[in-house]
Amino acid sequence: MKVLVPVKRVIDYNVKPRVKADGTGVDLANVKMSMNPFDEIAVEEAIRLKEKGVATEIVVVSIGVAKAQETLRTALAMGADRGLLVEVDEGTVVEPLAVAKILKAIATEEAPGLVILGKQAIDDDANQTGQMLAALLGWGQGTFASKVEVSGETVAVTREVDGGLETVSLKLPAIVTTDLRLNEPRYASLPNIMKAKSKPLATKTPADFGVDIAPRLETVSVAEPA
Ligand code: AMP
């Protein structure tokens, strides 16, 4: 079974974001960027499924600027097999719906058994992409996963809900989004970082998938918290 893991390049979680002086957004100039923490958990889960013999190939995909290649290389160094960058111009914001449409096209082409996403990206805190992707594909979804168990044609996902834990059983192919307690992602070792440099990484554009990424939302203002 192939596993598809979308990973987003975001401001590193240790960095305190600075709001631009004109209040139009967050200043990304000279800021450390890293893989979205929930996506590291998604990559780790896919690798564990491969180590158990459940997954056969892990494909990581990022929709972002050219530098998102670094994020994909990090995932390859952790243990993913192949990367795909869907490249957009510097400064372009791709909203969750457009990301979900691109991922739908990729999932249709790649036919994975599971797509494992983060529950949310820590930059926009949207918590939308996995749910929208499940709806667009017509697949079941297990969001906020703290445990994932594949057996045969189904996956049991234990979800962190307000009242405690809920377990849902989904028919494969399915969408899973990760919560914090699913696992602790590994660090890539130096030899694996070197090996990752020669793993395949393809580049495409949103137009290759026929997706219009023009924003539908207008940001009215961005302000520092009080
Ligand atoms: P969001 O709905 O923006 O909070 O993001 C939820 C999850 O969708 C993230 O944790 C990623 O797994 C995936 N995702 C969102 N945006 C992107 C992107 N530009 N590239 C790859 N994956 C993304």
Side-chain angles (χ1 to χ4, degrees):
M1 174 177 83
K2 194 187 285 186
V3 179
L4 185 68
V5 184
V7 295
K8 188 178 187 187
R9 179 177 182 263
V10 297
I11 292 193
D12 187 90
Y13 73 98
N14 283 308
V15 172
K16 185 177 180 295
R18 285 186 318 261
V19 172
K20 287 186 197 163
D22 62 2
T24 55
V26 170
D27 191 0
L28 295 180
N30 301 316
V31 172
K32 184 179 180 212
M33 306 290 283
S34 301
M35 190 189 307
N36 182 44
F38 292 107
D39 305 353
E40 286 183 353
I41 296 172
V43 174
E44 176 66 34
E45 197 61 21
I47 296 168
R48 290 186 188 190
L49 288 172
K50 196 172 168 196
E51 287 169 345
K52 278 188 211 152
V54 174
T56 48
E57 189 188 23
I58 303 166
V59 182
V60 285
V61 50
S62 193
I63 295 120
V65 297
K67 280 207 167 147
Q69 274 195 23
E70 293 167 9
T71 313
L72 291 167
R73 289 281 174 213
T74 303
L76 296 174
M78 286 173 73
D81 297 294
R82 181 155 66 79
L84 170 62
L85 171 67
V86 182
E87 191 173 340
V88 300
D89 294 336
E90 203 68 43
T92 307
V93 174
V94 191
E95 292 172 355
L97 180 59
V99 172
K101 286 179 180 171
I102 293 168
L103 293 176
K104 180 197 176 190
I106 295 170
T108 305
E109 227 171 83
E110 296 276 353
L114 271 179
V115 185
I116 311 180
L117 306 92
K119 75 166 178 182
Q120 74 192 59
I122 62 165
D123 53 358
D124 60 14
D125 272 350
N127 174 20
Q128 295 175 359
T129 309
Q131 294 88 330
M132 286 176 167
L133 178 62
L136 291 174
L137 284 165
W139 294 1
Q141 57 180 309
T143 52
F144 315 133
S146 63
K147 194 168 168 200
V148 174
E149 277 180 313
V150 176
S151 59
E153 293 303 302
T154 60
V155 57
V157 179
T158 303
R159 310 183 54 236
E160 301 208 355
V161 293
D162 277 352
L165 296 174
E166 174 190 56
T167 302
V168 292
S169 177
L170 311 169
K171 203 165 70 154
L172 298 176
I175 307 292
V176 170
T177 75
T178 62
D179 214 325
L180 215 50
R181 278 158 289 272
L182 180 58
N183 61 49
E184 239 182 77
R186 69 195 63 194
Y187 290 103
S189 65
L190 194 58
N192 285 345
I193 293 172
M194 300 312 288
K195 259 196 260 166
K197 291 185 199 289
S198 54
K199 288 188 178 177
L201 202 167
T203 301
K204 292 199 170 186
T205 66
D208 292 332
F209 300 105
V211 176
D212 174 13
I213 59 165
R216 293 169 173 234
L217 305 174
E218 183 193 347
T219 301
V220 179
S221 72
V222 177
E224 300 264 1

